[in-house]
Amino acid sequence: MSVDATLSSLGLSLPAVTMPAANYVPYVFSGGLAYFSGTLPMKDGKPQFIGRVGKEFTIEQGQDCAKLCVLNILSHLKNALGGDLGKVKRLIRLGVFVNSAAGFTDQPKVANGASDLVVQLFGEQGKHARFAVGVSELPFGVAVEVDATFEV
């Protein structure tokens, strides 16, 4: 099943591409790899999930936020690949930053929202290396930011 068909079967869709608000690009291709900048949970051009996991948001809500970040990455990737996510050979690595309340230590559980989604979408090619860290603040106060590296 294609990534697009799997997205549809999960009741998900890719958001419209949102361009960065600062002096950088959303991705760079080099040597068969696509490197993605930290990507925020954007919907309709606006940041979502404003607050900290462990305070304003539960782990499950943090996972939903991480999924939205991945959907935004995939939106850029699909656009960059001429609409064909089938050109993805594999996901190499995810980096997940979690805006964490004091004492919150379940960042890996939050990151599972992103990891589980890409494995659902890409199967074996979606299995990846990863880091998940807690931070005291993220841009616009969002709960999660995700970066990624894909082989294409």
Side-chain angles (χ1 to χ4, degrees), residues 1-14 64 67 70-71 74 113-123:
M1 188 182 305
S2 74
V3 173
D4 289 321
T6 304
L7 276 168
S8 181
S9 74
L10 295 172
L12 300 172
S13 61
L14 298 180
D64 289 341
K67 288 177 189 176
V70 166
L71 291 173
L74 294 177
S115 292
D116 292 348
L117 178 59
V118 292
V119 171
Q120 281 182 295
L121 296 175
F122 292 98

Side-chain angles (χ1 to χ4, degrees), residues 127-140:
K127 292 186 178 178
H128 55 277
R130 179 184 91 181
F131 71 80
V133 297
V135 297
S136 62
E137 298 290 337
L138 285 171
F140 306 110

Side-chain angles (χ1 to χ4, degrees), residues 83-133:
D84 185 6
L85 287 172
K87 293 179 180 178
V88 172
K89 290 184 181 177
R90 80 169 297 128
L91 174 61
I92 304 295
R93 185 185 64 84
L94 283 179
V96 182
F97 302 88
V98 181
N99 185 354
S100 302
F104 182 79
T105 59
D106 283 327
Q107 290 84 6
K109 290 180 183 176
V110 173
N112 284 343
S115 292
D116 292 348
L117 178 59
V118 292
V119 171
Q120 281 182 295
L121 296 175
F122 292 98
E124 284 296 313
Q125 291 81 14
K127 292 186 178 178
H128 55 277
R130 179 184 91 181
F131 71 80
V133 297

Side-chain angles (χ1 to χ4, degrees), residues 21-87:
N23 189 19
Y24 66 95
V25 294
Y27 57 86
V28 172
F29 285 96
S30 180
L33 299 177
Y35 297 90
F36 281 82
S37 299
T39 303
L40 303 179
M42 303 294 283
K43 186 174 180 185
D44 299 325
K46 297 177 186 166
Q48 306 296 303
F49 295 94
I50 308 301
R52 297 177 194 271
V53 181
K55 186 175 180 188
E56 288 84 11
F57 298 111
T58 65
I59 291 170
E60 293 77 14
Q61 290 169 316
Q63 291 170 337
D64 289 341
C65 183
K67 288 177 189 176
L68 182 55
C69 292
V70 166
L71 291 173
N72 276 275
I73 289 170
L74 294 177
S75 183
H76 278 290
L77 183 58
K78 184 175 182 176
N79 188 52
L81 296 176
D84 185 6
L85 287 172
K87 293 179 180 178

